[in-house]
């Protein structure tokens, strides 16, 4: 785990073995409701980072996301959906780039 990481963990965060987490990564398990009637009420969902995942520098992982084993998240990506094992994702929002050979 590199410097400057921020974990907002009220929803729960699980990090597997042998993970690499780049500097300034953000893992955010909370979000606000959009509906005016809910008055921006907070809701929570866990984040799961499986074994051997590599999160690049300045990555943001949002609530409810699971990142599968051996996945790579490119620097600066914002992960809003689950990432399949053995894949590379990048961008805002993060999208599939290619499979990791194994």
């Amino acid at each position: 785990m590199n410097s400057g990481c921020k974990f907002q963990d009220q929803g729960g965060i699980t990090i597997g073995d042998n993970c690499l987490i780049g500097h300034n990564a953000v893992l955010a398990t909370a979000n606000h409701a959009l509906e005016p009637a809910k008055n921006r009420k907070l809701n929570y969902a866990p984040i799961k980072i499986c074994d051997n995942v590599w999160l690049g520098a300045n990555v943001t992982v949002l609530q409810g996301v699971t990142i599968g084993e051996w996945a790579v998240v490119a620097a600066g990506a914002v992960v809003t959906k689950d990432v399949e094992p053995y894949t590379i994702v990048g961008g805002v929002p993060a999208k599939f780039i290619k499979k990791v050979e194994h």
Side-chain angles (χ1 to χ4, degrees), residues 68-82:
E69 64 182 7
W70 289 99
V72 177
V73 180
V78 176
V79 184
T80 61
K81 297 179 182 175
D82 290 352

Side-chain angles (χ1 to χ4, degrees), residues 1-9 13 15 21-30 47 49 55-63 65 67 73-74 76-80:
M1 186 162 324
N2 231 307
S3 63
C5 294
K6 308 270 190 294
F7 294 175
Q8 185 287 314
D9 64 351
I13 296 173
I15 299 173
I21 300 178
H23 68 272
N24 299 322
V26 173
L27 304 182
T29 65
I47 292 172
I49 310 295
L55 303 180
N58 299 301
V59 163
T60 299
V61 180
L62 298 183
Q63 71 173 128
V65 167
I67 301 179
V73 180
V78 176
V79 184
T80 61

